[in-house]
Amino acid sequence: MSIDIHSAITLSALLALLMGVSLSYVLRDYPDALQPSLRAWILGTLMQPLAWVLYSTRGQLADWIAIVLANALLSLAYAQLVRGLRLFAGRPLVNTLLYTPVLLVAVAAVAFTYQWPSLRWRTVSISVLLVFQFARGALSLFDRPRRLRRSEVLTMIAFGLTAGVLLVRSLFEGLHSQALTSAFAPTPMQVAVFGTAAFLPVLSTFSFVLMCNDRLNLELVRQAMRDPLTGINNRRALVDAAERMLASARRHTHPVAALLIDADHFKQINDVH
């Protein structure tokens, strides 16, 4: 069963718009620490519907709008998603790495539309640049010393899967002798690409919101386990740690010891300091 590419593009635009508007509505409920990454994500999500609408006007509007501007805007939207991930992960923002692919997408679109007209090589070149963007987005969450949370793994899968589909597309179109006749041709490769693009806003935004909620839950746990004045573990944290150590000692039949320290005149120290 073939899928109509125009229908897939329409679905992509509607889902991205729905995700962007929904996230904008609940933005104020999140703490200030998460606002920058959420705003970048919302901006990238809301750019996608406009890019897809322009993309679907090929043959109706001028090529510089339906091809050059549409592809550049879509790449810029993905750059904002990567920016949101890097802000969330506390990674440095290097604008050159963020926005150079956007410029190169526009250059490739111009070159292979006007200078050397070729749908095949325009598709290959833009796909390769998008692979770089999605791969960088996935790697933004990779942190070797720390165990990744499931929400972060899900986000990495969404970006990695999209990068993989685009990489296969670039290799397929680059090595395939038969030239691509139309951007809307319902070939298996095109169906896979546009099908992935249709569900990317849902999966990636859902997993990104889960990441934000995990961050909030971790902060609540931290506050419940720490003294707000000194920042050291409170009684609840010490009891939890002791229970884990005792359970481990029983499980592995290891000896365990407890050290009790009595500080003289502690009330006076506490009253003064």
Side-chain angles (χ1 to χ4, degrees):
M1 180 181 66
S2 62
I3 298 177
D4 181 60
I5 300 299
H6 284 92
S7 299
I9 291 175
T10 302
L11 182 61
S12 301
L14 290 176
L15 291 177
L17 181 62
L18 178 62
M19 293 295 103
V21 171
S22 300
L23 196 54
S24 299
Y25 178 72
V26 300
L27 176 64
R28 293 184 180 181
D29 292 338
Y30 286 88
D32 293 340
L34 291 173
Q35 293 280 332
S37 58
L38 280 166
R39 292 184 187 278
W41 191 274
I42 290 171
L43 180 60
T45 304
L46 291 177
M47 282 182 177
Q48 293 178 56
L50 178 57
W52 286 122
V53 168
L54 294 179
Y55 192 93
S56 65
T57 61
R58 294 190 182 187
Q60 303 172 21
L61 297 180
D63 285 348
W64 71 267
I65 296 177
I67 297 178
V68 179
L69 182 59
N71 281 290
L73 187 59
L74 193 61
S75 178
L76 182 60
Y78 295 148
Q80 293 303 313
L81 298 185
V82 176
R83 182 170 177 266
L85 290 177
R86 297 191 70 82
L87 286 170
F88 179 90
R91 297 297 182 90
L93 292 177
V94 182
N95 288 333
T96 303
L97 292 176
L98 273 177
Y99 300 115
T100 298
V102 181
L103 177 61
L104 293 178
V105 164
V107 170
V110 170
F112 293 113
T113 301
Y114 298 105
Q115 188 67 30
W116 304 286
S118 172
L119 175 59
R120 177 189 180 190
W121 292 113
R122 185 173 68 226
T123 300
V124 170
S125 58
I126 292 178
S127 295
V128 169
L129 293 167
L130 295 182
V131 167
F132 172 81
Q133 288 186 286
F134 281 104
R136 189 162 184 264
L139 292 175
S140 297
L141 299 175
F142 184 75
D143 190 356
R144 186 179 296 275
R146 180 179 61 86
R147 181 181 178 183
L148 291 174
R149 301 189 67 83
R150 293 181 186 274
S151 57
E152 295 172 328
V153 173
L154 187 60
T155 305
M156 292 180 67
I157 289 174
F159 274 70
L161 178 63
T162 306
V165 171
L166 288 169
L167 180 60
V168 171
R169 180 200 200 187
S170 62
L171 292 174
F172 178 81
E173 300 297 347
L175 299 175
H176 204 257
S177 58
Q178 185 178 359
L180 186 64
T181 57
S182 170
F184 304 114
T187 64
M189 195 71 256
Q190 291 290 87
V191 169
V193 169
F194 286 101
T196 302
F199 291 101
L200 174 67
V202 177
L203 179 58
S204 61
T205 301
F206 175 72
S207 58
F208 184 74
V209 170
L210 288 179
M211 284 169 46
C212 293
N213 290 339
D214 279 346
R215 179 72 60 84
L216 291 178
N217 291 334
L218 287 174
E219 179 60 22
L220 290 175
V221 171
R222 190 193 69 81
Q223 292 179 6
M225 296 291 189
R226 299 290 180 88
D227 177 75
L229 179 62
T230 62
I232 63 175
N233 288 342
N234 59 19
R235 178 175 178 173
R236 178 180 177 181
L238 293 174
V239 170
D240 286 350
E243 289 178 347
R244 290 195 300 270
M245 293 177 64
L246 290 172
S248 177
R250 284 193 296 266
R251 185 167 59 253
H252 301 289
T253 63
H254 290 165
V256 64
L259 176 65
L260 177 65
I261 299 176
D262 182 18
D264 293 335
H265 311 296
F266 185 76
K267 183 180 185 305
Q268 181 181 353
I269 296 173
N270 190 55
D271 291 342
V272 173
H273 301 284

